[in-house]
Structures are given as C-alpha cells and as structure tokens.
Amino acid sequence: MEKINAVITGVGGYVPDYVLTNEEIARTVDTSDEWIMSRIGVKERRILVEEGLGTSYMARKAAKELMQKTKSNPDDIDLVIVATTTPDYHFPSVASILCDKLGLKNAFAFDMQAACSGFLYALETAASLIASGRHKKIIVVGADKMSSMVNYEDRATCPIFGDGAGAIMIEPTTEEYGVLDSHLRTDGKGLPFLHMKAGGSVCPPSYFSVDNKMHYIYQEGRTVFKYAVSYMCDSTAEIAKRNNLTKENIAYVVPHQANLRIISAIAHRLELPLENVMVNIEKYGNSSAATLPLCLWDYEKKLKKGDNLILTAFGAGFTWGAVYVKWGYTSNQ
Ligand code: UT7
C-alpha cells in the first residue's frame, strides 16, 4: 500500500477588531512602550471585547474563512480538533459548538488542551489520523481568548497576551508533502511556574478564589523563559538534524510567539536570518494556541509548494516540540 502523508491544504484566521496598544496598557499599570517592546516585542494585541462572545466565536470565523478558501463541502469534514485553553465552557467543547455553527453532519469533534503547544499537538494528532487512512478531511483550529484570564492590573503578564484564532485543513496525499516528522514532549514539571490557581477541580470557584484573584494566569516569567528557549531550540535542532534541514533549505521556522527574544534565540541556534522566521508578535502578542496558525495565515501568500517549514512551540505543563512540514501548495489568492 502506498504511504499516505497528511498535507495542509488551506489556512483561515481571525483576530478581533479591538486593538489594545502599549500606550493604553501604560495608562493602567506602571510600564512603558519602550519596556514592552524591548523585553517582549509586542506593540499591540487584539482583544475580543464584545460581551457574551468567547473562543468559539473566533474559532468559527477562522474555520468559516478556511471552508470558503478551500471550497469545502461541510459534509466532507470528518473531524474537528480545537486546541484551546480558554474554551467557552468547561463543557461542552468548543469543537462541538463549531460542528453546529459550520453545519457539519459527518464529523466527530473534540478540544485538545496543551496550552501554547496545543496547535502543534493537534496537528500531529490530525496528521496521524489522516495517515491511518481512516480520515480524509480534518479541520485543526488553534484559538484562545487570553484576555479572559489576564489580570490587567498585573504588569508582568498583561502586556504579553492577545486573542485570536487560526484554522487549517488537513487532507491525505501520496506525494512527499505535509507533516513529515515531529518531536513532541511533555514533562509535567512546569506546574509551579505557569498555571491558573482556581476554577478547576482542585479549587473550584468560590468567593475566596475570586477575592484572592486566583482566576488569572500565574507565571514566573524568568523561569518559563529559560525553559522555553532551551526546549524549543533543542526540539527544532533535533528535527532539523534528522531531516537534513539547514539554513540553506529551510524556508521558514514558525515559532510560538511568546517573546521576540525567545524567537531570536531559536533563529540564532539554527543560524537563520530573521527573514526566514515567521514573526507577528508585534501586532498580536501571544495568543497561545492561535499563534502558529495565525503565522501561517499572515505568511500564506509568501509560501510556495515544497517549502520546508519547522513549526515549534512551548507552553504550560511544560509542553513543547517541533514539527517538520513540507508546504503543499502555492497560494493564488
Ligand atoms: O507562552 C507560554 C510560555 N511563556 C513564555 O514563554 C514567557 C516567558 N517569559 C518571558 O517572556 C519574560 O520572562 C517576561 C516577558 C514575562 C518578563 O521579562 P523579563 O525580562 O524576564 O523580566 P523579569 O520578570 O525578570 O522582570 C525584570 C524587571 C523586574 O523589576 P526588578 O525586580 O528587576 O526591579 C520587574 O518587576 O522588570 C519588571 N517588570 C516590568 N517593568 C516594566 C516586569 N514587568 C514589567 C513591565 N513594565 N510590564
């Protein structure tokens, strides 16, 4: 039997209209555009401000654009995976809401929670299901409404994050394109450094948890920074080495957009100029599971069939890894 690869056949994306600038943040906490640009690299981020709208709203917009661009028939979609840490509800899943909103009748759907690495994990999962031969058309979404768990009185975290969603279509091919290799890891050692203290089963919501601001992102930035650099660099280097990818034949590294200094460290490790690294942190900040598909969305027109990409991410858990993708089409839109 011929080997089946899983190729990305389209990209959709959505970011909310509201632009939260560094100047606006500096009016509420003690910070400055200069500090945020030099330490993180974010100029502005998008925020879903409309009341009553959650992650599924952005995921739906991204997936709808994807369906239109790929001229997909809803009846042909057989699986939807949504990577998110900020679902609309504890249950049901964002993915199940999408099935209804997109009119999918022949799909099963679930959410995947791997923090900022969620999209990478979902991509690998979808690719394996395509390669199994049992699935033919899968939508993978990375979507997060980070503003729903950011404390806008905490200057150490509030400049970092933004909201957004990106979606890709994955289909089978017998050609040598698509998701060709992966190196994904989880160690569980990151819990003390990056988590939300309440709202889960250990500490359900209470007056105490709300009074003590336990429903926000807690991050020990310096420690997380060190692990992020080291793990993303190691995974990316491993994927590059075993697939003979070098600065001569890598079109783009697609890194999680957590901090421009982390992104630069990865480029340095691979001896790649920043032109070969997808960067949009300046305008969207860190939208967690959405950063990778939003990079693909922004750079889609520059990509050509056969381009070698290495996607890499790092997140709470800790979760991290890198995936080698050979791009499957040249955009004509
Ligand atoms: O996406 C999931 C994974 N997450 C990450 O990868 C994030 C990794 N961490 C980071 O990106 C960085 O650690 C941060 C951006 C979070 C922080 O940058 P840093 O250079 O590590 O700063 P720091 O936490 O070491 O703080 C340095 C100083 C401190 O002041 P002192 O104690 O030296 O006087 C902070 O209080 O900067 C201060 N500071 C700020 N100053 C102005 C912290 N936040 C701000 C701020 N404006 N917004």
Side-chain angles (χ1 to χ4, degrees):
M1 214 175 82
E2 253 180 322
K3 182 172 174 256
I4 302 170
N5 282 316
V7 66
I8 297 173
T9 55
V11 187
Y14 175 78
V15 288
D17 294 334
Y18 189 83
V19 177
L20 176 59
T21 62
N22 288 347
E23 288 69 26
E24 186 175 347
I25 287 181
R27 285 200 288 273
T28 45
V29 292
D30 181 14
T31 189
S32 63
D33 176 58
E34 196 277 326
W35 193 95
I36 300 169
M37 280 305 286
S38 63
R39 305 308 295 166
I40 314 175
V42 183
K43 190 88 196 153
E44 56 192 39
R45 60 296 284 145
R46 301 301 184 94
I47 305 293
L48 187 62
V49 287
E50 289 80 5
E51 223 168 287
L53 295 183
T55 295
S56 77
Y57 175 79
M58 298 186 292
R60 182 213 315 179
K61 291 265 193 190
K64 275 214 166 134
E65 189 191 76
L66 174 70
M67 300 277 288
Q68 275 160 8
K69 279 168 74 176
T70 54
K71 301 185 176 56
S72 294
N73 178 348
D75 290 347
D76 294 339
I77 308 296
D78 47 24
L79 170 61
V80 179
I81 308 176
V82 177
T84 186
T85 310
T86 52
D88 293 22
Y89 309 100
H90 266 302
F91 66 90
S93 65
V94 171
S96 68
I97 297 170
L98 281 200
C99 284
D100 179 41
K101 300 289 183 197
L102 299 175
L104 311 185
K105 305 239 165 22
N106 299 314
F108 78 109
F110 59 90
D111 288 358
M112 181 172 276
Q113 205 285 87
C116 298
S117 305
F119 180 80
L120 214 52
Y121 283 26
L123 175 63
E124 168 72 356
T125 305
S128 305
L129 289 167
I130 291 283
S132 76
R134 287 169 56 184
H135 297 278
K136 300 278 180 284
K137 211 165 161 92
I138 301 180
I139 295 177
V140 174
V141 181
D144 270 304
K145 183 181 167 183
M146 299 306 284
S147 61
S148 65
M149 53 182 189
V150 165
N151 178 358
Y152 286 96
E153 292 171 355
D154 174 14
R155 71 174 184 169
T157 52
C158 76
I160 300 173
F161 297 100
D163 302 338
I168 57 169
M169 193 71 78
I170 309 187
E171 299 181 64
T173 178
T174 50
E175 293 185 307
E176 204 54 15
Y177 294 102
V179 179
L180 299 184
D181 194 13
S182 68
H183 178 270
L184 301 175
R185 293 290 183 272
T186 308
D187 67 4
K189 303 215 183 319
L191 172 62
F193 311 114
L194 185 49
H195 59 267
M196 184 194 280
K197 297 196 179 297
S201 55
V202 165
C203 182
S206 64
Y207 290 112
F208 177 85
S209 69
V210 172
D211 288 346
N212 287 282
K213 302 187 190 312
M214 294 164 75
H215 295 272
Y216 294 124
I217 295 171
Y218 173 85
Q219 173 167 258
E220 293 182 20
R222 235 177 273 187
T223 307
V224 176
F225 186 95
K226 271 191 279 183
Y227 280 103
V229 171
S230 142
Y231 285 167
M232 277 201 282
C233 282
D234 287 353
S235 277
T236 308
E238 172 67 22
I239 281 292
K241 187 167 137 228
R242 64 192 195 202
N243 293 285
N244 298 317
L245 298 171
T246 62
K247 60 180 180 214
E248 272 75 41
N249 59 9
I250 295 173
Y252 287 101
V253 166
V254 190
H256 173 47
Q257 308 285 302
N259 187 312
L260 190 56
R261 289 182 292 139
I262 300 177
I263 295 170
S264 303
I266 299 167
H268 184 72
R269 172 84 172 263
L270 288 173
E271 298 175 6
L272 271 184
L274 265 183
E275 305 89 90
N276 296 102
V277 181
M278 292 192 189
V279 183
N280 60 14
I281 187 171
E282 186 169 329
K283 52 183 186 169
Y284 303 145
N286 178 351
S287 53
S288 195
T291 61
L292 295 182
L294 281 177
C295 278
L296 296 176
W297 186 56
D298 269 354
Y299 281 76
E300 186 189 19
K301 287 194 180 71
K302 295 186 179 173
L303 291 172
K304 293 188 292 300
K305 188 169 182 175
D307 277 351
N308 291 316
L309 312 182
I310 302 178
L311 282 63
T312 182
F314 173 88
F318 295 122
T319 55
W320 72 95
V323 170
Y324 169 31
V325 170
K326 194 176 267 294
W327 196 249
Y329 62 95
T330 302
S331 176
N332 53 10
Q333 307 201 22

